[in-house]
Amino acid sequence: MGPRMKDLQLTASAGKGSPEYAGEEERLLGGDDIENYGKVPEKFRRIQVSVTGMTCAACSNSVESALMSIPGVVKASVALLQNKADVTFDPILVKDEDITNAIEDAGFDADILPEPNSSSTKPHGTRVGQFTIGGMTCAACVNSVESILRKLPGVKRATVALATSLGEVEYDPAVISKDEIVNAIEDAGFEASFVQSSEEDKIMLGVIGISSEMDIQMLEGILSNLKGVRQFYFDHTSRDLEVHFDPELLGSRSLIDGIESESHRKFKFLVKNPYARMSSKDLEESSKMFRLFTASLFLSVPVLLMRVVCPRIPLLYSLILWQCGPFQMGDWLKWALVTVVQFGVGKRFYIAAGRALRNGSTNMDVLVALGTSVSYFYSVYALLYGAITGFWSPTYFETSAMLITFVLLGKYLESLAKGKTSDAIRKLVELTPATATLLVQDRGGKIVGEREIDALLIQPGDVLKVLPGAKMPADGLVVWGSSYVNESMVTGESVPVSKEVDSSVIGGTINLHGSLHIQANKVGSNTVLSQIISLVETAQMSKAPIQKFADFIASIFVPVVITLALLTLLGWYLAGVLGAYPTEWLPGNSNHFVFALMFAISVVVIACPCALGLATPTAVMVATGVGANNGVLIKGGDALERAQKIKHVVFDKTGTLTQGKATVTTAKVFSGMDRGEFLTLVASAEASSEHPLAKAILEYARHFHFLDEPNATKDGQSNRMESNFFGWLLDVSDFTAVPGRGVHCFIDGKQILVGNRKLLTENQVAIPSHVEKFVVELEESARTGILVAYDNNLIGVLGVADPLKREAAVVVEGLMKIGVNPIMVTGDNWRTAQAVAKEVGITDVRAEVMPAGKADVIHSFQKGGSVVAMVGDGINDSPALAAADVGMAIGAGTDIAIEAADYVLMRNNLEDVITAIDLSRKTFTRIRLNYIFAMGYNVVAIPVAAGVLYPSLKIKLPPWVAGACMALSSVTVVCSSLLLRRYRKPRLTTILEITVE
């Protein structure tokens, strides 16, 4: 089951956030709109657009007017402060680009924002499909395929990656089907096949038990009647069955069990891993190129030997000079061998060149086909002309043969290099075990047996047994047992993590000690591993802005080279005719035209657009793989390009610089109330809140009430506490959470307030001076003071501390050492914020900032042209993560934060902020070096091939040598990118120049 390429998330959906965290999205849409986001009529689609350049209400009105003037737009609203537009439209009449064009025509910049993720709704209007595309050889091919796809009706977006031979297409299934997309690609002369889409899961099965056409019809009949099966295809040759199904209606194991049951066990199935199949395609491509190369080499070497070696061996030389009909034996042998190479082995170049010309583009295959054809057909002409006239000119069969051989060598080495760049994906695929032990339960939940199943057939809700030393077969929760789990293969964190009942586990991680029973809650495309793989694949397909330059050069490269070759031919020929060089320069029995032609052919074959096309994508591929291995997930080349320019890093405080595990350190009562009664009131008020501070207060109160409970069995104690927990809480009515303030409710008809000074002041509750002094002392010691008022009287204060992460201070210092300015932003009060900032060494602090205001802080730094990164983890950080040039989400944070970010730091370790920046910088240093190799090679090689050095130094490149140089140029670029695989994350001790003894 392939991963979904859209609506990517790495952790379980956190659900609706508490009102305290309502932020920018709520301001833009309103509370009701948040609840109903996406609930538009079936025929309409709703998107959000980032609009920059608005300065006043008149600007927002202009944008709204421009949007409403588009036929098909039914609703448009613009939020000036949030720099966003919310647009509802008919996708049949309006495309995304129509909306952005209208805004840009009004004088503003516009970008479509990702749609909010929801686990309970399906994507509207469009679907994202992934396709394999074969036959692409350079950036010009990529441009051609992208151009064809973007012109198809119903296609919203198309991105094609040369390095992975994959295309990602966003299309409207109501307008165009995936089969029509495949046909369009194949009509253009390329190979294509559908891989997966964003709205369905796919399973590949090897079928055992089919012996006749009747069996096939029986299988198809069963599949047609299974609810949830959307499409299926049976390959008669390989006996493979491909089934696309709705995962909300049908599970993979239910699918197989259903077929086996309906067929009375006639059919048996073997599940095939989709990633393993994609990896096998890489191996097939490498094997195919190696076979073609060895065949060409086997046939070409004798041709080269006849020209270079045989003249020095009298017996062999006399044999090839033996007259056999109109030609010598050597001529017959050369013609026969090279014809097989030219039109047998080299057929792929003619096919690819014809495909490119048919699409109105030119690529490297055009150059190869042109160069080899000129050499071959001139040599044939020279033989026929000699047989007729008796004037024998030299032939250049070896030029054609060796050129094809060297080009195929380059292609083979490229395919090997491309395969190596996918090692990160292969390693992730290999983490998942092949089988799992399913615990069979009766209706009462009692375990009655075990069953070994394929790990790809695990379904949500399955209870699985994991022995010590075994890998977790799926994401889930521990329901029995305790152990330590090594999660380093996913998170990069080397320290084993303790797992108890209700602890979450990640598929592919290793159980170290005790046996565990886990209940699977995420399988297939929803698992962390699958989504990491999907994220890495998506990142490798993305294009960095710098690649636009290479794409432009590639689009004009071949016509320019052909023009230069024609000028070279004309220049040398006219120079010879006019006597500008001596006739001694001409080879034996040659003439000025042939002499000039060889220079022209060398120009054609030495030029290589492949190196330019591979310079960026190969480096991005390696970098995303290296990042994944180091716990840093990168969402694309554009993110890498922005990250290497970061000047400011804005840190959220709670959960980012701090551990996010608030604990109550002080509880002081300022009335005659009993301490236990005070904590009961506060805990009852906070029980309905989702805020982290509320959970800390509840835990503190529970601990106070049950500290002296007798210790029975662990499970018994847990169950008793859970039952007692709700028993001692008081009944609450009219609960309300006030964003940025706290909560208020009624207990026994009396109002209780729990929050900060503003909450109490707004409710006319006086704060005595001695209480204010106590709260100030808390804040100056980096603790947050929570005031409690009951029946309009202040009754007590709680002091809450959130310890700093141990690495926070050294990471801040390390960032300053590498030229990055750290900033802290928090909704906490100034005293607490200043105390925390002082501990970590940050001087620039923005406190008492509401969630939506964090984006404004980022915009203030961006106005100066600086690239700003935001590091956060919560729902309230998502607007800021989206507003920043580079968003970095802590991996343990919420789904929404991860969705909005460009980088995901899986280890929840701030050191990875430095790793992300350092990796980005080194990647783009490598990309620039690749462009120097590619451009420098062509700038130097083409003039040399054209014969610029021949008059003075007698240096010229025979066409077959030019072919060897051309093949090596792209290999040089790929190998340069592969050096990134040696990347090692920077050590803080090195950055800070600390000597460890």
Side-chain angles (χ1 to χ4, degrees):
M1 292 171 288
R4 301 182 183 186
M5 301 304 291
K6 192 178 180 183
D7 294 336
L8 196 64
Q9 64 183 52
L10 298 178
T11 58
S13 179
K16 189 169 46 177
S18 63
E20 296 99 312
Y21 284 90
E24 195 166 77
E25 297 298 328
E26 184 171 352
R27 285 188 169 188
L28 178 65
L29 300 174
D32 293 337
D33 288 340
I34 290 177
E35 289 292 324
N36 297 306
Y37 188 92
K39 296 180 181 178
V40 295
E42 287 292 330
K43 64 178 290 188
F44 297 130
R45 180 165 173 251
R46 185 177 184 178
I47 63 171
Q48 285 191 13
V49 187
S50 171
V51 184
T52 54
M54 297 188 296
T55 57
C56 62
C59 296
S60 61
N61 292 336
S62 297
V63 174
E64 281 189 9
S65 299
L67 291 170
M68 290 304 297
S69 66
I70 303 173
V73 172
V74 296
K75 183 180 178 182
S77 61
V78 179
L80 174 64
L81 295 179
Q82 284 73 43
N83 293 312
K84 289 182 183 178
D86 185 54
V87 189
T88 303
F89 60 94
D90 186 339
I92 297 177
L93 301 176
V94 183
K95 290 188 176 182
D96 290 3
E97 53 263 35
D98 295 332
I99 293 171
T100 55
N101 290 339
I103 297 173
E104 289 170 354
D105 289 342
F108 305 93
D109 295 328
D111 288 301
I112 304 295
L113 295 175
E115 296 182 17
N117 182 41
S118 172
S119 58
S120 61
T121 60
K122 296 180 182 179
H124 291 277
T126 61
R127 182 178 297 172
V128 177
Q130 195 178 39
F131 301 80
T132 58
I133 303 173
M136 298 187 299
T137 56
C138 65
C141 297
V142 172
N143 293 338
S144 177
V145 175
E146 285 184 348
S147 176
I148 290 165
L149 290 172
R150 288 168 182 166
K151 291 177 182 177
L152 294 175
V155 171
K156 311 289 184 182
R157 175 179 59 84
T159 304
V160 177
L162 173 64
T164 57
S165 298
L166 288 174
E168 186 175 288
V169 184
E170 182 181 356
Y171 63 98
D172 187 344
V175 179
I176 188 171
S177 69
K178 62 179 181 293
D179 293 330
E180 290 173 319
I181 294 174
V182 169
N183 292 336
I185 298 171
E186 291 178 342
D187 289 344
F190 299 92
E191 300 170 2
S193 63
F194 175 75
V195 179
Q196 62 199 13
S197 81
S198 59
E199 214 177 40
E200 57 189 15
D201 269 0
K202 182 178 81 170
I203 189 169
M204 288 293 299
L205 303 168
V207 187
I208 301 173
I210 289 183
S211 56
S212 66
E213 189 65 30
M214 291 290 291
D215 292 336
I216 296 175
Q217 293 176 6
M218 177 182 176
L219 177 61
E220 291 176 347
I222 294 171
L223 287 167
S224 299
N225 293 323
L226 273 179
K227 186 178 180 180
V229 172
R230 289 183 170 171
Q231 282 185 321
F232 56 87
Y233 170 74
F234 180 75
D235 189 321
H236 292 67
T237 304
S238 64
R239 291 293 194 267
D240 285 345
L241 175 65
E242 178 180 312
V243 184
H244 298 262
F245 61 94
D246 186 340
E248 293 184 6
L249 300 176
L250 188 66
S252 53
R253 192 168 75 247
S254 301
L255 169 68
I256 293 177
D257 290 344
I259 300 174
E260 290 183 348
S261 176
E262 290 295 322
S263 67
H264 303 291
R265 309 294 171 183
K266 176 177 178 59
F267 303 127
K268 297 295 181 183
F269 299 94
L270 300 174
V271 185
K272 299 192 174 183
N273 191 309
Y275 295 107
R277 291 175 62 249
M278 292 178 69
S279 298
S280 67
K281 286 187 177 181
D282 293 339
L283 295 175
E284 287 176 11
E285 179 67 16
S286 297
S287 300
K288 180 180 178 181
M289 284 299 165
F290 182 72
R291 289 195 301 270
L292 290 173
F293 164 67
T294 52
S296 182
L297 182 66
F298 178 77
L299 295 169
S300 301
V301 167
V303 178
L304 188 64
L305 291 177
M306 279 187 276
R307 184 181 182 95
V308 178
V309 178
C310 289
R312 292 173 173 77
I313 304 175
L315 180 61
L316 292 177
Y317 193 53
S318 61
L319 181 62
I320 64 174
L321 292 177
W322 177 45
Q323 195 72 24
C324 185
F327 308 123
Q328 296 175 347
M329 179 59 70
D331 295 329
W332 282 110
L333 290 173
K334 289 179 183 179
W335 174 80
L337 292 171
V338 175
T339 298
V340 176
V341 174
Q342 184 75 26
F343 301 107
V345 178
K347 178 179 66 174
R348 67 185 308 276
F349 296 109
Y350 282 104
I351 294 173
R355 172 196 306 146
L357 294 173
R358 187 166 64 248
N359 294 322
S361 64
T362 51
N363 58 17
M364 178 194 142
D365 296 298
V366 173
L367 296 180
V368 174
L370 181 62
T372 57
S373 296
V374 170
S375 301
Y376 176 83
F377 287 111
Y378 171 78
S379 299
V380 172
Y381 165 78
L383 285 178
L384 295 176
Y385 184 79
I388 296 171
T389 64
F391 181 80
W392 298 94
S393 298
T395 60
Y396 296 92
F397 282 117
E398 69 281 351
T399 294
S400 174
M402 295 307 297
L403 173 57
I404 290 175
T405 301
F406 281 118
V407 171
L408 289 173
L409 172 61
K411 290 294 178 186
Y412 169 62
L413 294 177
E414 283 178 32
S415 66
L416 286 180
K418 289 176 186 178
K420 287 185 178 180
T421 58
S422 299
D423 280 352
I425 294 177
R426 290 198 188 97
K427 288 178 181 177
L428 288 168
V429 172
E430 291 168 358
L431 289 179
T432 305
T435 60
T437 302
L438 174 68
L439 296 177
V440 182
Q441 298 174 299
D442 59 19
R443 292 184 178 180
K446 182 180 179 181
I447 298 173
V448 295
E450 297 179 2
R451 173 187 172 191
E452 188 173 272
I453 61 171
D454 193 300
L456 295 173
L457 299 181
I458 297 171
Q459 296 181 169
D462 285 348
V463 178
L464 308 166
K465 182 178 181 180
V466 186
L467 296 174
K471 294 178 180 178
M472 299 294 171
D475 294 4
L477 294 174
V478 177
V479 295
W480 179 87
S482 63
S483 181
Y484 280 86
V485 175
N486 180 359
E487 297 182 344
S488 62
M489 61 287 301
V490 175
T491 66
E493 184 61 64
S494 59
V495 179
V497 181
S498 173
K499 300 295 179 182
E500 305 283 345
V501 173
D502 291 335
S503 298
S504 60
V505 294
I506 302 173
T509 56
I510 301 174
N511 180 24
L512 297 179
H513 302 299
S515 294
L516 295 175
H517 292 177
I518 67 167
Q519 185 174 47
N521 55 19
K522 287 185 178 180
V523 299
S525 59
N526 292 320
T527 63
V528 170
L529 272 178
S530 292
Q531 291 173 353
I532 292 175
I533 292 169
S534 176
L535 187 58
V536 174
E537 282 187 326
T538 304
Q540 291 180 349
M541 288 182 62
S542 69
K543 291 186 177 181
I546 194 175
Q547 196 171 338
K548 294 178 181 178
F549 167 74
D551 291 344
F552 170 73
I553 296 296
S555 66
I556 63 172
F557 190 88
V558 175
V560 169
V561 168
I562 293 175
T563 301
L564 289 175
L566 292 174
L567 291 175
T568 300
L569 173 64
L570 184 62
W572 277 105
Y573 178 70
L574 290 177
V577 171
L578 296 175
Y581 60 82
T583 56
E584 289 79 10
W585 287 8
L586 301 177
N589 293 332
S590 186
N591 55 49
H592 294 297
F593 176 78
V594 174
F595 184 65
L597 183 64
M598 289 303 102
F599 284 114
I601 293 174
S602 294
V603 170
V604 168
V605 300
I606 203 168
C608 181
C610 282
L612 277 172
L614 292 170
T616 298
T618 53
V620 170
M621 282 186 69
V622 177
T624 52
V626 168
N629 288 335
N630 285 279
V632 177
L633 301 184
I634 308 165
K635 291 191 178 179
D638 54 343
L640 275 166
E641 184 161 348
R642 293 193 302 271
Q644 49 106 22
K645 301 175 184 176
I646 290 173
K647 293 298 181 185
H648 304 280
V649 174
V650 178
F651 288 98
D652 172 52
K653 179 177 76 72
T654 305
T656 303
L657 288 174
T658 65
Q659 295 178 12
K661 297 177 181 178
T663 55
V664 176
T665 59
T666 305
K668 189 172 181 64
V669 183
F670 290 99
S671 67
M673 185 180 293
D674 177 75
R675 184 183 179 88
E677 183 181 355
F678 167 73
L679 290 175
T680 300
L681 281 171
V682 179
S684 299
E686 292 284 15
S688 299
S689 175
E690 293 293 329
H691 197 283
L693 296 183
K695 295 178 180 178
I697 293 170
L698 280 171
E699 177 61 25
Y700 182 82
R702 185 191 67 79
H703 182 75
F704 176 84
H705 282 291
F706 298 108
L707 180 63
D708 296 326
E709 283 288 319
N711 290 323
T713 64
K714 182 176 181 180
D715 290 342
Q717 183 186 21
S718 176
N719 292 335
R720 183 172 57 258
M721 284 188 176
E722 186 175 352
S723 62
N724 288 339
F725 189 79
F726 295 100
W728 60 270
L729 289 175
L730 303 175
D731 292 332
V732 172
S733 61
D734 298 331
F735 173 86
T736 303
V738 184
R741 303 288 194 274
V743 301
H744 68 74
C745 60
F746 287 86
I747 297 177
D748 294 332
K750 298 177 182 179
Q751 180 176 253
I752 180 167
L753 305 169
V754 183
N756 57 21
R757 295 181 183 87
K758 291 180 181 178
L759 179 68
L760 271 65
T761 302
E762 290 171 356
N763 287 273
Q764 288 77 49
V765 176
I767 304 175
S769 58
H770 65 285
V771 176
E772 175 65 24
K773 181 180 178 182
F774 179 75
V775 174
V776 169
E777 290 175 355
L778 290 176
E779 291 170 349
E780 289 178 345
S781 60
R783 287 178 288 178
T784 301
I786 299 176
L787 293 87
V788 183
Y790 183 56
D791 195 20
N792 294 323
N793 294 310
L794 194 148
I795 60 172
V797 174
L798 295 168
V800 180
D802 187 2
L804 285 171
K805 290 181 177 175
R806 57 181 177 80
E807 75 275 10
V810 290
V811 167
V812 166
E813 186 179 354
L815 284 170
M816 290 188 287
K817 285 280 188 179
I818 64 174
V820 178
N821 176 42
I823 303 152
M824 189 183 81
V825 60
T826 178
D828 215 336
N829 63 80
W830 274 104
R831 291 190 185 89
T832 303
Q834 290 285 0
V836 171
K838 185 177 180 180
E839 284 190 55
V840 297
I842 294 178
T843 57
D844 195 341
V845 182
R846 310 298 169 95
E848 298 181 2
V849 178
M850 291 288 288
K854 294 180 182 179
D856 295 332
V857 172
I858 289 169
H859 291 319
S860 68
F861 285 97
Q862 291 172 327
K863 287 179 181 177
S866 298
V867 176
V868 182
M870 170 71 192
V871 185
D873 71 315
I875 295 172
N876 60 333
D877 295 327
S878 55
L881 288 167
D885 297 292
V886 181
M888 297 184 183
I890 298 295
T894 64
D895 301 336
I896 297 175
I898 290 170
E899 287 291 329
D902 301 293
Y903 284 72
V904 180
L905 311 181
M906 290 295 295
R907 295 195 311 157
N908 199 14
N909 190 318
L910 291 176
E911 291 181 33
D912 290 337
V913 174
I914 294 178
T915 301
I917 296 173
D918 183 69
L919 177 59
S920 302
R921 290 178 177 179
K922 284 186 168 58
T923 300
F924 263 79
T925 298
R926 182 61 55 182
I927 288 173
R928 294 185 186 98
L929 187 60
N930 287 350
Y931 279 122
I932 291 174
F933 285 148
M935 295 295 294
Y937 163 82
N938 284 296
V939 166
V940 173
I942 291 177
V944 173
V948 170
L949 299 179
Y950 188 75
S952 58
L953 301 176
K954 296 297 183 292
I955 294 176
K956 69 175 181 177
L957 294 177
W960 67 272
V961 175
C965 294
M966 182 270 291
L968 291 175
S969 65
S970 56
V971 174
T972 301
V973 168
V974 172
C975 291
S976 171
S977 294
L978 285 175
L979 289 176
L980 279 172
R981 288 161 54 90
R982 302 174 62 184
Y983 174 82
R984 295 292 180 270
K985 63 172 60 180
R987 296 172 60 90
L988 282 172
T989 53
T990 303
I991 294 174
L992 301 178
E993 299 177 354
I994 298 173
T995 302
V996 180
E997 296 181 359

